[in-house]
Amino acid sequence: MVELSGLCVGYGERPVLQGVSLNFPPGQVTILLGPNGCGKSTLLKAALGLIPVKEGAVRYDGQDIRSLSPKEIARRAAYLAQSRGVPNITAKRMVLHGRFPYLSYPRRYRPEDYEKAREALAWADALDLADRPMGQISGGQRQKVYLAMALAQDTQTIFMDEPTAYLDIRHRLEVMALARRLADMGRAVVLVLHDLDLALKGADRVAVLADGTLRQTGSPEGIFSAGILDEVFGVSVRRVRTEDGWQYYCGL
């Protein structure tokens, strides 16, 4: 399990996160919510060792992240970043990049690496894109390929920063269904989302950040009932019951 304890992170002298303590249990979908600039993406990067921690600690199964090499971290946690470049390679080659933590130099893919890539493309509903160049597919299709690359990494924890960006409604729902399936397999799934309805219907736990601090964590029901979302977003979050459960929406 990945644990953050008293985490303080910043860029230069500017603090971004202060005193954040949070863990990501296996078997659960944890969703980070908060206004733009509150530190959600920074939190993911700190949890992955991509930016240094000024105070506090990040631990993987009780082991301080500072004692782990980048390859060791990459074998424990995968990361779907908010934005990526578009290299001139096929989708299958892009997904195979997720196998880098398991290869020695020079990198030579093994049969199991190709199989993991194929499985990941199938999970992400992108198998039909395998042989197409990344530059010749749509933004939504590329997002599915990047998701497959994170899945091919085959880790116990998966961090996703806005994984539903560029996707239409159906594919957003499919991403959330995939997150649930991964959690049901015993993995810790952590997502940054801006869609409150998707988040409150798809999460086991919600963590609300604002002004660089962790304001509240809890179940979607507890978070909604506490009114913290109204406070940090400056809107009125409401809901109506439908045959498929609660439907959440916002008003000013």
Side-chain angles (χ1 to χ4, degrees):
M1 182 167 64
V2 180
E3 300 173 276
L4 315 179
S5 178
L7 195 68
C8 295
V9 181
Y11 299 98
E13 297 300 318
R14 181 175 66 89
V16 177
L17 295 172
Q18 301 181 66
V20 174
S21 294
L22 185 62
N23 59 53
F24 305 116
Q28 292 192 9
V29 176
T30 301
I31 296 182
L32 308 183
L33 292 176
N36 290 336
C38 71
K40 302 183 297 295
S41 297
T42 297
L43 187 151
L44 296 192
K45 292 176 183 177
L48 288 152
L50 299 177
I51 55 177
V53 172
K54 293 181 178 295
E55 296 181 23
V58 177
R59 296 185 179 89
Y60 280 69
D61 299 321
Q63 190 172 0
D64 194 298
I65 195 173
R66 286 168 289 198
S67 68
L68 300 173
S69 68
K71 180 175 282 191
E72 289 172 322
I73 296 170
R75 289 181 177 181
R76 302 187 189 202
Y79 177 44
L80 176 61
Q82 190 173 19
S83 60
R84 290 180 177 272
V86 184
N88 186 28
I89 57 176
T90 64
K92 179 171 65 177
R93 281 287 168 183
M94 188 79 249
V95 174
L96 280 166
H97 285 189
R99 302 302 299 163
F100 282 2
Y102 304 96
L103 304 177
S104 57
Y105 187 82
R107 297 188 181 106
R108 292 190 176 89
Y109 296 118
R110 304 158 299 175
E112 56 262 42
D113 298 315
Y114 288 105
E115 180 59 23
K116 287 287 185 184
R118 191 199 67 78
E119 291 175 358
L121 281 163
W123 266 65
D125 190 28
L127 196 55
D128 59 322
L129 303 173
D131 296 319
R132 295 182 60 182
M134 291 292 290
Q136 296 180 20
I137 59 179
S138 70
Q141 290 172 322
R142 283 198 294 269
Q143 189 74 345
K144 292 164 71 173
V145 173
Y146 295 139
L147 176 58
M149 181 175 66
L151 298 178
Q153 208 165 317
D154 195 22
T155 60
Q156 284 302 303
T157 301
I158 300 179
F159 293 103
M160 304 184 196
D161 196 351
E162 285 294 328
T164 59
Y166 311 113
L167 299 182
D168 59 30
I169 296 299
R170 174 179 175 175
H171 289 106
R172 290 183 184 187
L173 295 174
E174 289 178 350
V175 167
M176 296 307 297
L178 174 59
R180 170 54 50 204
R181 288 168 59 198
L182 291 169
D184 289 345
M185 292 172 62
R187 299 184 183 184
V189 184
V190 186
L191 302 92
V192 169
L193 288 183
H194 282 292
D195 188 320
L196 295 183
D197 183 59
L198 275 183
L200 293 172
K201 290 195 296 189
D204 295 303
R205 296 167 70 238
V206 176
V208 181
L209 290 92
D211 301 320
T213 63
L214 179 62
R215 296 292 299 276
Q216 189 169 338
T217 60
S219 68
E221 177 65 32
I223 291 294
F224 172 79
S225 299
I228 187 67
L229 296 175
D230 296 29
E231 179 184 335
V232 302
F233 285 106
V235 299
S236 177
V237 182
R238 305 164 187 169
R239 66 183 181 182
V240 293
R241 188 179 289 280
T242 71
E243 62 182 17
D244 296 321
W246 290 112
Q247 187 79 28
Y248 296 86
Y249 65 99
C250 299
L252 295 175

